[in-house]
């Protein structure tokens, strides 16, 4: 089950042109998942790098519960994420 802050979704649409609702169509089963935690975040965060509509995207998320995934950011993958995906697939 996915969850997110509605105002954060609106910000993400304005900044990256992608709504968090689209994460349902993301190829989660083929994604490379990397630990992206930082001490200042105060929680374990992950980057899922995978395909959506034939292009590589990155979803930053956390797992606040066993059956919940909270979306933090969703955007096209950058160069270093593309490299990480290629190295891990």
């Amino acid at each position: 089950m996915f969850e997110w802050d509605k105002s954060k979704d609106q910000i993400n649409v304005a900044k990256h042109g992608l709504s968090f609702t689209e994460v349902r169509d993301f190829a989660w089963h083929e994604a490379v998942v990397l630990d992206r935690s930082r001490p200042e975040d105060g929680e374990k965060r992950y980057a899922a790098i995978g395909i959506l509509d034939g292009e590589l995207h990155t979803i930053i998320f956390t797992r606040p519960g066993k059956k919940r995934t909270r979306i933090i950011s969703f955007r096209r993958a950058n160069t270093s994420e593309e490299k990480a995906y290629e190295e891990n697939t």
Side-chain angles (χ1 to χ4, degrees), residues 17-39:
L18 294 164
S19 172
F20 290 165
T21 59
E22 296 177 73
V23 302
R24 294 180 182 106
D25 298 324
F26 182 77
W28 287 93
H29 62 286
E30 298 174 359
V32 171
V33 178
L34 305 171
D35 187 336
R36 288 292 191 238
S37 301
R38 302 176 303 188

Side-chain angles (χ1 to χ4, degrees), residues 60-85:
I60 306 300
F61 67 98
T62 189
R63 298 292 310 265
K66 289 183 180 182
K67 296 185 178 189
R68 296 183 317 162
T69 300
R70 184 170 53 85
I71 307 301
I72 298 167
S73 178
F74 180 35
R75 56 183 165 70
R76 289 186 68 169
N78 62 35
T79 305
S80 65
E81 292 161 344
E82 289 174 358
K83 184 177 178 184
Y85 181 82

Side-chain angles (χ1 to χ4, degrees), residues 51-63:
I51 304 295
L52 175 71
D53 295 333
E55 296 186 9
L56 211 51
H57 289 77
T58 300
I59 298 172
I60 306 300
F61 67 98
T62 189
R63 298 292 310 265

